[in-house]
Amino acid sequence: MTSPVFKTYEPPQTSEKTVWYQIGLPSRGQALYQIVQEGVPYTTYTKLVELSGADVKKLSEMLAIPLTTVNRRAKSGRFSTHESDRIVQFVEVYEAAVRLFEGDREAARQWMKSPIKGLGGKAPMEMLSTGVELDAVIDMIGRLEHGIVA
């Protein structure tokens, strides 16, 4: 029997407790699509740095956005569509991790930094620069949520 794939995570509706709400982004729908097309504001990035516990440089590395580009976006005020997509994908993973740990952001941050056997011994934060790796992290979170040993 084939095991189910749990990569269709949908963040909960926006509330004050979600990462989405705290960084000022809608969690889905047309409003999110439009923001990604127009470019995520740099202020959203700084809020994400604060919430995730990563510094500006570390987050840029995780997202595969060069630090020089991040610095240029600080001046221009917005990220490109592609960069915005990477940011939104990170938010999706981070929100899923926070949800996995029932709202405990510190536990989620620690889990994201820890090597995971089911991810080939890599930490989830090391696997966010490509879509394939990001999907593996989302799958892992889904398996853990459903009690499937990783």
Side-chain angles (χ1 to χ4, degrees):
M1 184 168 144
T2 306
S3 67
V5 177
F6 298 104
K7 64 180 179 181
T8 57
Y9 172 77
E10 291 190 21
Q13 291 293 325
T14 301
S15 75
E16 291 180 22
K17 295 180 180 180
T18 69
V19 175
W20 298 98
Y21 179 85
Q22 292 184 336
I23 64 170
L25 287 180
S27 63
R28 64 172 70 95
Q30 189 61 37
L32 179 61
Y33 310 151
Q34 186 174 348
I35 288 171
V36 170
Q37 286 295 325
E38 293 173 357
V40 167
Y42 182 78
T43 55
T44 299
Y45 184 85
T46 59
K47 290 175 188 174
L48 190 54
V49 164
E50 184 179 320
L51 279 178
S52 70
D55 60 27
V56 171
K57 181 179 178 183
K58 182 65 178 171
L59 187 58
S60 76
E61 290 170 4
M62 288 186 293
L63 298 175
I65 302 172
L67 186 57
T68 54
T69 300
V70 171
N71 291 334
R72 280 196 314 271
R73 300 306 182 239
K75 293 176 186 171
S76 70
R78 291 199 176 273
F79 287 88
S80 72
T81 300
H82 175 73
E83 296 155 356
S84 296
D85 189 51
R86 302 292 312 149
I87 292 167
V88 166
Q89 288 174 341
F90 175 77
V91 174
E92 183 178 346
V93 169
Y94 184 55
E95 177 68 36
V98 169
R99 186 170 151 211
L100 174 67
F101 288 93
E102 299 176 348
D104 185 339
R105 292 191 198 297
E106 185 55 35
R109 280 192 283 265
Q110 290 306 314
W111 181 82
M112 298 256 319
K113 293 177 184 178
S114 302
I116 307 295
K117 186 176 181 180
L119 296 175
K122 286 186 167 183
M125 279 191 162
E126 297 171 355
M127 297 187 63
L128 302 175
S129 62
T130 68
V132 173
E133 291 176 311
L134 190 132
D135 285 346
V137 174
I138 290 287
D139 286 346
M140 175 60 63
I141 291 170
R143 289 194 306 270
L144 292 170
E145 282 181 326
H146 290 87
I148 299 171
V149 179

